[in-house]
Amino acid sequence: MRSFENIAKLIKDKRTQHVKGYSQSELSHLLGYKNGQFISNVERALCNIPLKMLNRVAEILDISHDDLRDAILKDHENTLNNYLTKGSGVVGATTDTQASQVLS
């Protein structure tokens, strides 16, 4: 399972503590998203900030590039650990559904 907890916490903390007090919808719109739900999804760790948006997020929320990088790298490490410890992503591994499709 992909991990986005660190970037989610960083974005939420910076947004809520920012002097301008951006709402999730306001921040989504500032990033160019028509749907205000985008930042909500990020803050609930359902998705990550696209790489092409990182500089814009850093600029709007006054986040250092080091803090962004650290959060993303921690999430990648957690993702790798999830896949390695749970057996997900193993080459040649099949799910029950895949196995039944091969047999039929």
Side-chain angles (χ1 to χ4, degrees):
M1 177 203 287
R2 300 272 324 247
S3 173
F4 304 115
E5 285 82 16
N6 292 287
I7 195 71
K9 182 177 179 350
L10 178 64
I11 297 298
K12 184 174 184 174
D13 289 349
K14 293 294 187 174
R15 180 186 61 80
T16 58
Q17 296 168 6
H18 196 275
V19 295
K20 293 189 179 176
Y22 295 116
S23 70
Q24 291 175 335
S25 183
E26 288 172 324
L27 183 54
S28 291
H29 292 290
L30 284 170
L31 293 172
Y33 291 93
K34 292 179 183 173
N35 184 345
Q37 188 68 29
F38 174 70
I39 292 299
S40 173
N41 290 342
V42 169
E43 290 181 0
R44 290 183 296 139
L46 299 177
C47 64
N48 201 354
I49 298 283
L51 294 177
K52 66 182 181 182
M53 288 290 172
L54 289 179
N55 282 328
R56 184 75 176 130
V57 169
E59 178 185 315
I60 292 170
L61 295 179
D62 302 319
I63 302 174
S64 75
H65 289 171
D66 288 341
D67 287 346
L68 277 173
R69 184 190 64 241
D70 291 346
I72 291 168
L73 288 175
K74 285 177 189 173
D75 285 338
H76 280 295
E77 182 178 8
N78 291 342
T79 296
L80 285 171
N81 288 335
N82 289 340
Y83 277 90
L84 293 172
T85 60
K86 295 181 176 137
S88 301
V90 175
V91 175
T94 59
T95 64
D96 291 339
T97 304
Q98 291 170 325
S100 66
Q101 290 172 347
V102 170
L103 296 175
S104 42

